[in-house]
């Protein structure tokens, strides 16, 4: 697995490693003997956790919200430091990674399609062009336009309203009837800039048909245009207006012909948004009584939500290792070496407020982590920012792992005042 040793190893530039996947890239780079560099803003770099900062061989300080300037700075940095691979980590910057790789002649994604992995309007167009099953959608700028569009399309309720460019369920609403449509469009359109870089966002909203059924995710490593599907993961979410991911379990429990179809569809989605050297995280729902996975979204990046940990605990496959191998143009290690199971369950509050107390019981086969500390503000449970912590459980079967993580989460003490 090692493809270089210590200071002599190949050099990879990560565009904004501050999110959940950053820590897995750091670990993977250590295992592979790579030197990892980051491109970020200097103020954002100051807020990095110590472990991330210490793991970096160097930093390209630039303004990632200013694409032409960032591309010039990063291209100069790549030449100066003999960078051999470029990887996007933060979803909104994955198009930058594609453009940079093309500019400096490194393996990377198709820059002409890269924006489709960030913008759900372009993504919908890319899926339609490739014939990939996905919800029908329309673009709206305000409530009146949304009412008109829904009437003309003749769609039934519920419908889904979401921002063109966001993640973590921010601004996503499932709307039961006409009364909720205007407020949902306003909620989706509140995101005009993304923190912490001040990146300008496409503030249009999409109205989509609601796809019923169970939800799954499946990641795809792509190396030189060849897709290597990873295992399917079952996703749990809240019901009702806000769909927050509450947990993930690997393996998915889907029977193999259907799991294979999910892997195939996820790979098609990855290729449709131009992923050629890297990884994609794809989410699907399967309507009851059908065997057709509908793609909800795909991103040209490693998954968040500690999914790297869950998938590796269950299968032995390190998504971050495979992703780094792919961006270096190597054959990725994607063959499972283990047949276990793992599940993550998030601690969610019933309402927003100040976190008074939180504790996760210590239970064999599990470990917990807190995202918020007592005294901190817990946002309203409308998106994933409200998560207070999580529990990861390992077991022999998926049912056991999911039940164990659920039991520990249910036994956790969370007081919000
Ligand atoms: N068209 C849809 N039909 C049914 N559920 C949906 C649809 N779109 C989104 N959802 C639900 O909302 C969640 C968040 O939406 P998603 O498009 O994945 O946005 P984000 O980029 O914020 O994750 C999904 O995981 C899913 O549970
Ligand atoms: Mg999603």
């Amino acid at each position: 697995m090692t493809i270089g040793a210590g200071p002599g190893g190949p050099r990879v530039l990560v565009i904004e490693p501050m999110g959940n996947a950053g820590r897995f890239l750091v670990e993977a780079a250590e295992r592979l003997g790579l030197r990892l560099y980051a491109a970020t803003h200097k103020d954002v770099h100051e807020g990095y956790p110590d472990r991330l900062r210490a793991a970096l061989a160097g930093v390209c300080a630039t303004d990632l919200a200013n694409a032409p300037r960032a591309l010039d700075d990063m291209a100069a940095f790549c030449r100066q430091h003999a960078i051999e691979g470029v990887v996007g980590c933060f979803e909104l910057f994955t198009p930058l990674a594609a453009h940079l790789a093309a500019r400096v002649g490194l393996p990377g994604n198709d820059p002409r399609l890269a924006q489709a992995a960030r913008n759900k309007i372009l993504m919908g167009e890319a899926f339609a062009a490739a014939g990939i099953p996905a919800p029908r959608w329309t673009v709206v700028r305000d409530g009146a336009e949304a009412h008109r569009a829904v009437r003309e399309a003749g769609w039934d309720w519920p419908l889904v309203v979401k921002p063109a460019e966001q993640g973590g369920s921010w601004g996503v609403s499932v709307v039961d009837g006409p009364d909720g449509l205007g407020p949902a469009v306003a909620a989706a359109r509140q995101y005009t800039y993304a923190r912490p870089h001040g990146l300008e966002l496409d503030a249009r909203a999409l109205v989509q048909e609601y796809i019923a059924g169970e939800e799954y995710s499946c990641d795809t490593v792509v190396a030189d245009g060849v897709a290597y599907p990873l295992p399917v993961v079952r996703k749990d979410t809240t019901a009702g207006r806000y769909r927050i991911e509450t947990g993930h379990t690997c393996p998915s429990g889907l029977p193999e012909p259907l799991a294979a179809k999910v892997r195939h569809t996820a790979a098609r989605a990855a290729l449709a948004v131009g992923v050629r050297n890297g990884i994609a995280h794809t989410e699907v729902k399967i309507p009851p009584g059908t065997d057709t996975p509908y793609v909800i979204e795909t991103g040209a990046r490693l998954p968040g939500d500690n999914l790297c940990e869950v998938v590796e605990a269950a299968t032995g496959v390190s998504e971050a290792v495979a992703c780094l191998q792919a961006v270096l143009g190597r054959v990725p290690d994607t063959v499972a070496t283990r047949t276990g199971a793992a599940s993550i369950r998030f601690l969610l509050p019933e309402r927003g407020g100040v976190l008074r107390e939180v504790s996760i019981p210590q239970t064999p086969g599990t470990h917990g982590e807190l995202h918020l500390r007592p005294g901190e503000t817990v946002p309203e449970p409308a998106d994933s920012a409200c998560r207070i912590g999580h529990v990861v459980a390992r077991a022999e079967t998926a049912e056991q792992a999911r039940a164990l993580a659920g039991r520990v989460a249910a036994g956790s003490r969370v007081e919000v005042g």
Side-chain angles (χ1 to χ4, degrees):
M1 191 188 274
T2 300
I3 53 180
R11 299 156 178 225
V12 174
L13 178 67
V14 189
I15 304 186
E16 196 45 86
M18 71 176 188
N20 178 263
R23 69 163 104 159
F24 298 103
L25 277 177
V26 164
E27 257 175 43
E30 281 165 8
R31 282 193 236 170
L32 290 168
L34 302 179
R35 305 191 78 189
L36 215 53
Y37 294 76
T40 184
H41 192 279
K42 67 176 177 24
D43 297 345
V44 178
H45 178 249
E46 274 174 22
Y48 278 9
D50 291 342
R51 161 120 170 76
L52 174 58
R53 206 193 311 224
L56 296 171
V59 174
C60 172
T62 184
D63 178 4
L64 293 172
N66 177 342
R69 153 102 197 270
L71 283 173
D72 285 348
D73 290 346
M74 291 190 294
F77 188 91
C78 284
R79 292 190 187 101
Q80 191 186 346
H81 294 273
I83 298 292
E84 288 178 45
V86 172
V87 60
C89 192
F90 193 67
E91 179 169 289
L92 295 169
F93 296 133
T94 54
L96 266 187
H99 287 285
L100 177 62
R103 167 97 73 102
V104 296
L106 291 174
N109 297 339
D110 185 343
R112 291 163 305 177
L113 284 169
Q115 202 69 13
R118 152 179 165 170
N119 184 302
K120 291 187 172 86
I121 298 170
L122 300 175
M123 191 183 294
E125 287 170 3
F127 290 162
I132 293 170
R136 289 188 291 176
W137 53 276
T138 187
V139 181
V140 299
R141 285 165 198 79
D142 56 37
E145 198 180 349
H147 281 286
R148 224 172 20 250
V150 169
R151 255 195 326 270
E152 276 166 23
W155 288 340
D156 285 335
W157 307 94
L159 294 168
V160 180
V161 178
K162 60 177 76 171
E165 298 189 320
Q166 257 307 346
S169 302
W170 290 22
V172 179
S173 306
V174 176
V175 182
D176 283 337
D179 290 351
L181 194 56
V185 173
R189 297 209 56 209
Q190 67 184 295
Y191 302 100
T192 50
Y193 287 92
R195 280 191 286 172
H197 296 271
L199 181 69
E200 204 175 326
L201 298 177
D202 177 349
R204 291 176 293 172
L206 288 86
V207 179
Q208 280 186 343
E209 277 187 308
Y210 180 81
I211 306 295
E214 296 291 327
E215 193 161 352
Y216 301 88
S217 68
C218 179
D219 300 339
T220 312
V221 183
V222 187
D224 296 336
V226 179
Y228 297 80
L230 295 169
V232 181
V233 174
R234 172 176 171 183
K235 182 196 289 212
D236 291 300
T237 70
T238 51
R241 175 172 173 182
Y242 300 118
R243 302 294 164 103
I244 309 167
E245 289 152 328
T246 55
H248 305 272
T249 303
C250 182
S252 65
L254 276 179
E256 194 40 52
L258 197 45
K261 215 161 170 187
V262 171
R263 293 194 297 271
H264 184 76
T265 305
R268 287 181 66 203
L271 298 174
V273 298
V275 178
R276 290 188 311 212
N277 280 90
I279 195 164
H281 173 69
T282 304
E283 297 169 349
V284 305
K285 289 190 80 173
I286 306 177
T290 80
D291 63 355
T292 303
Y294 280 72
V295 178
I296 300 298
E297 64 158 338
T298 192
R301 54 164 176 85
L302 282 162
D305 281 8
N306 278 47
L307 275 167
C308 289
E309 177 185 353
V310 170
V311 168
E312 184 163 11
T315 66
V317 175
S318 164
E319 298 203 16
V321 162
C323 171
L324 287 171
Q325 290 168 323
V327 298
L328 286 165
R330 321 230 168 171
V331 177
D333 289 334
T334 58
V335 177
T337 56
R338 202 179 291 154
T339 51
S343 185
I344 186 166
R345 166 81 37 178
F346 296 98
L347 304 185
L348 262 53
E350 279 171 17
R351 60 196 166 86
V354 174
L355 186 58
R356 302 280 174 216
E357 204 179 318
V358 56
S359 62
I360 301 174
Q362 294 210 344
T363 310
T366 74
H367 69 88
E369 207 175 294
L370 294 178
H371 306 181
L372 298 174
R373 306 268 156 202
E376 286 189 293
T377 300
V378 182
E380 287 297 324
D383 56 51
S384 58
C386 72
R387 290 164 172 174
I388 292 163
H390 69 250
V391 180
V392 177
R394 290 170 171 235
E396 277 177 29
T397 70
E399 296 76 45
Q400 289 166 350
R402 186 164 170 269
L404 180 57
R407 259 197 320 277
V408 176
S412 297
R413 193 180 158 87
V414 173
E415 267 183 46
V416 178

